[in-house]
Structures are given as structure tokens and as C-alpha cells.
Amino acid sequence: MLDERDVEKVLKTIHAALKLKLFRWRLDGSVNLVVQGLATAMNDVDICTTAEGMYIFKKALENYPQQEGYHERTGARFVQVQVHGVSVEILCYDNHELRMLEHAVPRQWKEMVLPVLPVPKAQEFYQQIHRLDKVSLIQAFLEEQEGKVRILP
């Protein structure tokens, strides 16, 4: 299991390797949720992008061990890169509705601005891939957040 320091080090390395290249990508998986304040375990760093974006990431991280593959369950091509001993999966979903790149928004985290999938959209994503554990976790988080901003009569 990763802690925030591990993830911060990896994301700063990726951020620097990309050298301000402009293309569509976003954080995915548990790291996407943690960056937005949701408490959940992180086992790796997931990034969603396009086929072109996968190529850009592969070139930017060419000095790190890489392995390509395909996830049958979610229908995604991926490149797995080992960065500072942490597994980073760069994914390109076959189903454009799962990519949700048009919904990515910038989020400040640990002195970086990172593209994230907003929590409600992440909940839709997990619903589509049948990860009901994540759907429930996000629902509890959203209800808690709603309670914090509710205006009392």
C-alpha cells in the first residue's frame, strides 16, 4: 500500500518528465480520489489518456521499466511503468465513455496542478465498471460533504 509521500514523488517525476506537453490525460483510480480528499487505500498510480497520450507517456518515461498489456475486464490497453518502485498504469479505455477525459478538471495538490475526474463523475465511472465497493465509498463521501455545506434553517 502506498502513502501520499510515495504518490507525491511519483507524480512530481511524471510531471517533470512531461515537460508541459499539452495532451489529454487525467488521474484515475484511488489516487484520483485521494487527491480530492477521499480517504482510500492506494496500491498504484492510475492515469487515463488517449492512444496518443500513451505514446507521449511512454516516451517521457522511457528510462523506467515498462510493460504493455490489456485489461479484459475494463477493456483497456495499458503501459505499466515502474517509477521509484511504484507501479504506474497508463490506461486507454476502448470505450470512450469510460475515458471521461472531457470531464477532467485541474486540481491543486502538493504544489502540482493535476487533471482529475471530479468525484461524482468518478462514481459514474465505477458504476459502469461494476466496482460497487468504490461506488459505496464515494456515496458516503459525497453525503458527508453535503452535510458539511448544508445551510441550517
Side-chain angles (χ1 to χ4, degrees):
M1 187 158 32
L2 303 175
D3 64 24
E4 285 191 12
R5 288 184 308 261
D6 298 326
V7 172
E8 178 182 6
K9 183 177 180 182
V10 168
L11 289 176
K12 283 184 174 177
T13 298
I14 292 170
H15 217 250
L18 291 175
K19 296 183 179 119
L20 302 176
K21 288 177 175 54
L22 297 176
F23 65 102
R24 296 175 73 181
W25 67 281
R26 66 171 178 80
L27 292 177
D28 203 14
S30 297
V31 170
N32 178 65
L33 300 176
V34 168
V35 164
Q36 296 180 77
L38 207 142
T40 187
M42 299 177 289
N43 298 313
D44 61 3
V45 175
D46 295 319
I47 294 171
C48 175
T49 190
T50 62
E52 175 190 7
M54 284 183 73
Y55 176 78
I56 293 169
F57 273 106
K58 282 175 62 173
K59 288 298 284 179
L61 299 171
E62 65 187 356
N63 294 328
Y64 296 92
Q66 300 183 8
Q67 180 180 350
E68 294 186 38
Y70 188 80
H71 289 300
E72 294 288 338
R73 190 175 68 78
T74 57
R77 288 173 286 136
F78 71 87
V79 176
Q80 186 176 51
V81 185
Q82 293 297 317
V83 180
H84 306 305
V86 173
S87 176
V88 177
E89 273 196 3
I90 301 149
L91 302 133
C92 179
Y93 296 100
D94 295 339
N95 180 344
H96 288 262
E97 290 181 22
L98 289 179
R99 291 184 196 172
M100 297 186 172
L101 293 167
E102 69 278 10
H103 299 292
V105 297
R107 174 79 177 212
Q108 179 81 30
W109 189 73
K110 309 281 186 187
E111 302 174 10
M112 293 175 283
V113 177
L114 302 163
V116 300
L117 183 63
V119 174
K121 288 292 179 187
Q123 186 178 34
E124 288 178 27
F125 169 83
Y126 283 118
Q127 186 74 44
Q128 288 183 51
I129 66 166
H130 308 289
R131 285 289 310 272
L132 301 183
D133 57 327
K134 293 287 189 184
V135 172
S136 297
L137 177 72
I138 292 169
Q139 186 61 40
F141 174 79
L142 291 172
E143 288 172 3
E144 179 185 322
Q145 295 304 304
E146 183 180 293
K148 287 180 180 177
V149 297
R150 187 172 292 149
I151 299 172
L152 300 175

